[in-house]
Every structure is written in structure tokens, then in C-alpha cells.
């Protein structure tokens, strides 16, 4: 339980009242566009700032309890998606553009307050809110611009995957003569549509396109970043390459990305999806067969096995609804007919409890699991990468799945390979490019009294796989630990150069609440 409270945060806000009053005035009177002077000069400011909705900037403090003027009340302003995270910032500052971001960071430097950057507020670890610091909320900077001719997108830090998937999947054709033809694009993202683009990309990012097109961070080609010093810089493979490399999976440690540019990939109008439930008692043999299929699977095929309970609903037999089972959830990004054929082998591994196939569009696929993770519930997710799904790994995975303390706790396997392995381990912050899969233990519950048992289950489960040789974690699935030991566990051999980048770009640790790395 967090011992820091609203009164503590209010005391910090009162201590820095003059600076926060000045910031509130700046945010209320800002022009809504950034000049080169505001951003330190030498940068195409327009590319970094035309991604907001023009709403007024706002500042919320612990003593604010009403919202008559449209300003979110403090408790609303500090609340994030994960109900396990209960923190009390000294101020929540809402940015409209890169100039506002620079103003907020100037106040942070003047006061010595740390900054937690919030985009989608979906951080499982809680790095989008902090105790006694400033939350820099980029939610209003949510525009998405797609260039269908070039197959690229420029995305604001407040955009969610629903914003991006909807824009890219409905992108305009390359000429007016083809105005009625579908010309769909996508970029690798997560599996829940209201997740923020920024946090997922900066944390690496896995999803249904990962095996075919790489991690979410792999498609990033340019980032416009407001640094801790308040300057806006461009990061690409050729300009500030150390910063660019660090942003691709290194988390929110280095600055505020106010514009992301992605290379997109074409996506079919319809995708093949298969959801096949098998009896849990048959899981050892089924997962061994899955392992063999995965070794030869085309990159367009992603099948994720997980242990949970068979859902209730018209698509599932009443006789097995609520029973524990092993689900093979598969998606193919090949043309739908070919994709359905590629998924057939996973549906024919035994006698299923339930078997369902669909042909969704990509945005429909991306929202398919939204209801599984409602805002306000409590979450703790932990992962570990494995070189191979050996028999002992499978057995331990199933033992730990059966030991889950709650019906919503899920143990799953996420396959890697394909495009993930095409980059060198030090080309981005994510080092486990060589892993066959990542094993995730995702705890979800609602009762605060049950916190310890769910968190301990996930931690102990990862430890059990680690004892069998597993090592390395997905940055976005690394629990809520943010100390140096956690950073070393996530980044492994990349830790050294990532810490050098942190020291270069944030020597005073302004963004300490936003990541796991420290310059000290």
C-alpha cells in the first residue's frame, strides 16, 4: 500500500506554488503552436507540434477538488488504467503541443520535481504517474496523419492504437480513380486498442504483426523529442542515432517524444482468426505439438497458447463454459483464405472443447480483447524469454498456470522469431531477438486484499521458468519494479549503452519516474 498521500502531494505543490502558478498561466495563455525559440531552435517545429487537438492546456493540483471550468478534478486527473497504481503527483499538466511540453519541463527543472510522462495511461508498471512530481499528460496530442502514397504515418504521443489502426486501415487510395478501392495499412502494435501508441513503442511492443513486421519499435523511423533541457531534437538512424536506438524499446527514460514516424505495412481487408479450446489435461502433448508447428510456421502466422477458462456465450458450448482449458488463439496476416489454411493445423491437434473462426478487419482484431482488461481493475504482468519451449518449460508453465490464485489470471506463450530475429540484439534496446518465445504470467483481479497473492504468483512463476534457463523480459511486461536491478534484468547486455544514453540526454534524471534507468 502506498504510504504517500494527497496531503503529502499538496505540501509539495504549495512549496512550489509560485512556479506552478506561472506554469498554469503559461498553459492557459499559450499560443497552441511552437516556435523555434520555444523549442531551442534548429528544428522543424511544425512536424513536432501539428499533432494536437488545440484544446487549452491545464494544470491540476491536489487542492483542486472541483471541475466547474472543465478541468479534471485531482482524483480523476491522477487516475490511470491500472487500479494497482495509486499515486499522488504534485501537479498534472496537460500539454497541447511541443511548446507546452517544453514549458512543463522548464518548471520541472526549476523546481527539481521529477516528471512522469503520460500518453495512454496504460502503463502496467505505473510509470505514467508519480508521487510528488509532475505528470505530463500528452493525451490531447493525438492526431494521426497517414501518407498512403509513401506508406507512412506520423503519430502524436496521445494517440491510442484505436486512433492509429482506424486511420491506417482506412487510409485513402493513392489516386482519386481508386477512391473506392481499399488501401489498408498497419504497423505492429499491441492487442488492446485503447493502449497508447507511445508507451507501447517505447517499450518495444509485441502484437499480431510482430512475427511478420517486427516489434512496434522496429517500424519507427523518426522521433521528434523534447529533451530534459527543453530542446526539440530529431532522432533517426542518422541524426542523434544513440537517442534513436535508445528510444526503440528503452522506455520513457530519455525525453518526451512529441511525434512518431512509422513505415507501414499493407494489411488485407480481412484476416483469418482461429480460437480453439482444448482440455487442459491434454495440454502437455498439445504444447509439444505446437512447438513443432511453430518451428516451421510462416511469419504471417502468430498463434498464442494460453491457459484460462472457457468463456461463456453463444460461441461456446454451455457444457464447458467456465472450465479451465488451453486456448490456441491464432491470427494470420496472409490473405484470409491462405491464412485460414495456415491455421488449420492448430485446430486439428485434438478434439476441441470449442472451435471458433472469424474474418475480422485489422481494427476489429485489435479491439477483440478490449473487454478482458477493464480500466480500474488491478494488474501485474511479468514475462520471461525462452530459447526453446522444452518439455520442462512446458511442464512448469502448466504447473504455474494451475496454481493461479484467480479465475482471471492468465498464463500465456507469445511466439517470437520471424522479423524479430532479423535485427541484431543491440540494434534496439530489446536484447532477446534470438528467443523462440516469451512466457507471460498476467495477473488480473479487483480486490485490494488479494494484491500479494496475485503479484507473488506472477513473480514466482517467472522465477520458476528462469530456473530452467529463461532470461530476459519484455520491457512492457516486466512487473512494476523500476530499480537498477529491474533495468539490468530487462536490458541485459544493452544496459551499458542505454545508461550512457540516459546520462547524455537526461543527466539530472528529470524523467526518473518514467522509466527504469538512472544516470547515477
Amino acid at each position: 500500500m502506498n504510504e504517500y498521500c494527497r496531503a503529502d502531494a499538496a505540501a509539495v505543490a504549495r512549496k512550489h506554488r509560485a512556479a506552478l502558478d506561472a506554469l498554469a498561466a503559461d498553459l492557459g495563455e499559450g499560443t497552441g503552436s511552437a516556435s523555434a525559440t520555444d523549442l531551442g531552435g534548429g528544428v522543424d517545429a511544425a512536424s513536432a507540434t501539428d499533432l494536437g487537438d488545440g484544446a487549452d492546456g491545464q494544470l491540476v493540483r491536489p487542492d483542486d477538488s472541483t471541475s466547474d471550468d472543465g478541468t479534471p478534478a485531482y482524483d480523476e486527473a491522477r487516475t490511470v488504467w491500472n487500479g494497482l497504481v495509486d499515486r499522488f503527483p504534485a501537479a498534472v499538466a496537460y500539454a497541447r503541443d511541443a511548446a507546452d511540453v517544453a514549458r512543463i519541463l522548464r518548471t520541472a527543472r526549476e523546481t527539481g520535481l521529477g516528471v512522469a510522462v503520460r500518453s495512454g495511461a496504460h502503463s502496467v508498471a505505473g510509470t505514467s504517474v508519480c508521487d510528488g512530481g509532475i505528470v505530463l499528460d500528452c493525451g490531447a496530442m493525438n492526431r494521426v496523419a497517414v501518407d498512403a502514397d509513401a506508406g507512412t504515418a506520423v503519430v502524436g504521443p496521445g494517440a491510442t492504437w484505436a486512433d492509429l489502426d482506424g486511420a491506417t486501415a482506412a487510409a485513402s487510395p493513392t489516386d482519386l480513380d481508386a477512391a473506392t478501392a481499399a488501401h489498408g495499412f498497419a504497423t505492429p502494435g499491441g492487442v488492446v486498442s485503447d493502449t497508447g501508441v507511445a508507451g507501447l513503442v517505447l517499450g518495444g511492443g509485441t502484437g499480431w504483426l510482430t512475427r511478420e513486421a517486427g516489434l512496434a519499435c522496429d517500424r519507427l523511423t523518426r522521433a521528434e523529442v523534447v529533451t530534459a533541457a527543453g530542446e526539440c531534437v530529431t532522432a533517426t538512424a542518422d541524426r542523434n542515432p544513440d537517442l534513436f536506438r535508445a528510444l526503440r524499446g528503452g522506455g520513457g527514460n530519455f525525453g518526451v517524444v512529441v511525434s512518431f514516424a512509422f513505415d507501414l505495412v499493407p494489411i488485407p481487408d480481412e484476416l483469418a482468426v482461429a480460437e480453439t479450446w482444448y482440455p487442459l489435461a491434454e495440454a502437455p502433448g498439445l504444447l509439444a505439438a505446437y512447438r513443432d508447428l511453430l518451428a516451421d510456421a510462416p511469419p504471417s502466422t502468430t498463434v498464442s497458447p494460453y491457459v484460462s477458462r472457457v468463456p461463456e456465450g453463444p460461441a461456446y458450448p454451455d457444457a464447458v463454459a467456465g472450465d479451465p482449458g488451453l486456448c490456441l488463439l491464432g491470427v494470420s496476416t496472409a490473405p484470409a483464405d491462405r491464412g485460414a489454411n495456415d491455421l488449420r493445423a492448430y485446430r486439428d491437434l485434438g478434439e476441441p472443447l470449442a472451435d471458433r473462426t472469424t474474418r475480422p478487419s485489422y481494427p476489429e482484431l485489435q479491439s477483440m480483447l478490449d473487454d478482458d482488461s477493464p480500466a480500474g481493475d488491478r494488474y501485474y504482468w511479468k514475462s520471461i524469454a525462452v530459447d526453446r519451449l522444452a518439455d520442462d518449460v512446458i511442464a512448469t508453465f502448466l504447473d504455474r498456470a494451475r496454481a493461479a490464485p484467480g479465475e482471471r489470471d492468465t498464463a500465456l506463450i507469445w511466439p517470437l522469431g520471424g522479423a524479430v530475429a532479423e535485427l541484431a540484439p543491440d540494434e534496439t534496446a530489446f536484447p532477446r531477438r534470438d528467443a523462440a518465445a516469451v512466457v507471460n504470467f498476467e495477473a488480473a483481479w479487483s480486490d485490494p486484499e488479494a494484491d500479494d497473492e496475485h503479484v507473488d504468483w506472477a513473480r514466482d512463476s517467472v522465477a520458476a521458468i528462469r530456473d530452467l534457463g529463461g532470461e530476459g523480459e519484455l520491457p512492457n511486461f516486466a512487473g512494476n519494479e523500476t530499480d537498477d536491478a529491474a533495468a539490468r534484468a530487462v536490458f541485459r547486455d544493452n544496459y551499458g549503452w542505454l545508461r550512457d544514453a540516459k546520462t547524455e540526454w537526461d543527466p539530472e534524471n528529470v524523467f526518473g519516474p518514467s522509466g527504469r534507468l538512472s544516470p547515477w
Side-chain angles (χ1 to χ4, degrees):
M1 181 177 178
N2 188 6
E3 295 182 358
Y4 199 91
C5 67
R6 183 170 184 160
D8 297 320
V12 174
R14 286 192 292 270
K15 177 182 178 181
H16 299 290
R17 176 174 293 164
L20 294 176
D21 283 348
L23 175 60
D26 284 346
L27 295 178
E29 298 174 3
T31 62
S33 62
S35 68
T37 302
D38 289 325
L39 299 177
V43 174
D44 178 9
S47 66
T49 61
D50 289 345
L51 295 165
D53 65 2
D56 288 339
Q58 301 175 82
L59 186 76
V60 180
R61 285 173 267 190
D63 289 337
D64 295 333
S65 59
T66 62
S67 54
D68 292 341
D69 63 352
T71 301
Y74 178 73
D75 280 335
E76 178 185 348
R78 71 181 184 86
T79 297
V80 293
W81 164 79
N82 188 356
L84 185 63
V85 178
D86 185 26
R87 294 178 186 155
F88 297 86
V92 179
Y94 293 84
R96 300 158 298 188
D97 52 33
D100 277 352
V101 171
R103 294 179 182 111
I104 295 164
L105 294 179
R106 181 181 64 218
T107 300
R109 294 193 308 274
E110 291 173 353
T111 59
L113 298 177
V115 172
V117 183
R118 185 166 73 191
S119 297
H122 223 281
S123 166
V124 180
T127 54
S128 54
V129 66
C130 58
D131 283 328
I134 298 175
V135 172
L136 196 166
D137 189 291
C138 299
M141 301 170 65
N142 60 359
R143 291 187 186 171
V144 177
V146 176
D147 185 333
D149 292 332
T152 60
V154 179
V155 182
T160 66
W161 288 100
D163 296 324
L164 181 57
D165 295 336
T168 54
S172 299
T174 56
D175 57 68
L176 293 176
D177 291 334
T180 58
H183 194 139
F185 291 103
T187 191
V191 297
V192 176
S193 68
D194 61 357
T195 303
V197 172
L200 193 88
V201 171
L202 295 176
T206 54
W208 297 115
L209 294 177
T210 291
R211 282 174 40 80
E212 181 175 21
L215 301 176
C217 68
D218 296 348
R219 308 300 300 185
L220 183 69
T221 59
R222 188 186 75 249
E224 305 293 339
V225 185
V226 181
T227 68
E231 297 182 349
C232 192
V233 301
T234 299
T236 69
D238 299 318
R239 299 176 64 181
N240 298 306
D242 62 327
L243 177 59
F244 181 66
R245 181 168 67 146
L247 292 172
R248 298 171 80 192
N253 295 279
F254 312 100
V256 182
V257 180
V258 293
S259 173
F260 297 81
F262 298 101
D263 275 342
L264 306 176
V265 295
I267 197 77
D269 294 341
E270 291 184 337
L271 302 172
V273 175
E275 178 189 1
T276 307
W277 288 87
Y278 292 104
L280 188 57
E282 299 176 11
L286 291 167
L287 288 177
Y290 164 82
R291 174 185 62 206
D292 296 339
L293 289 172
L294 177 62
D296 297 321
S300 56
T301 297
T302 297
V303 179
S304 175
Y306 67 91
V307 176
S308 188
R309 294 182 180 270
V310 180
E312 297 180 0
Y316 309 95
D318 291 338
V320 298
D323 290 351
L326 174 72
C327 180
L328 299 189
L329 181 59
V331 173
S332 173
T333 54
D337 288 341
R338 192 180 89 204
N341 186 64
D342 291 339
L343 294 174
R344 168 57 67 178
Y346 300 88
R347 300 170 57 205
D348 291 340
L349 293 177
E351 186 66 32
L353 299 173
D355 183 35
R356 185 167 74 108
T357 61
T358 55
R359 296 280 183 98
S361 67
Y362 186 68
E364 290 169 340
L365 168 69
Q366 289 294 85
S367 62
M368 184 173 67
L369 301 177
D370 284 3
D371 292 342
D372 292 348
S373 304
D377 278 358
R378 308 172 84 79
Y379 302 96
Y380 182 91
W381 298 347
K382 193 83 169 167
S383 66
I384 188 162
V386 295
D387 295 332
R388 183 173 180 270
L389 291 172
D391 289 345
D392 56 352
V393 171
I394 289 173
T396 301
F397 167 78
L398 292 172
D399 286 344
R400 296 307 305 167
R402 294 186 187 98
E407 293 187 358
R408 294 175 56 207
D409 296 332
T410 303
L412 66 88
I413 296 168
W414 193 267
L416 297 180
V420 177
E422 294 175 1
L423 299 184
D426 63 352
E427 198 165 339
T428 69
F430 177 63
R432 287 306 320 266
R433 297 280 174 175
D434 56 340
V438 173
V439 180
N440 286 5
F441 296 93
E442 301 180 3
W445 69 103
S446 57
D447 181 6
E449 297 297 323
D451 287 355
D452 288 347
E453 63 177 329
H454 289 273
V455 172
D456 288 348
W457 169 74
R459 289 174 175 168
D460 292 347
S461 298
V462 165
I465 301 295
R466 185 179 293 113
D467 288 344
L468 300 175
E471 57 181 348
E473 304 175 23
L474 289 175
N476 286 326
F477 290 82
N480 58 12
E481 298 81 13
T482 58
D483 57 9
D484 187 69
R488 292 177 183 274
V490 171
F491 300 122
R492 301 179 72 240
D493 292 344
N494 291 338
Y495 172 85
W497 65 259
L498 281 165
R499 186 168 179 182
D500 289 344
K502 173 70 172 179
T503 303
E504 171 70 20
W505 293 99
D506 185 19
E508 297 178 0
N509 206 25
V510 172
F511 300 110
S514 290
R516 295 183 171 92
L517 292 166
S518 170
W520 307 312

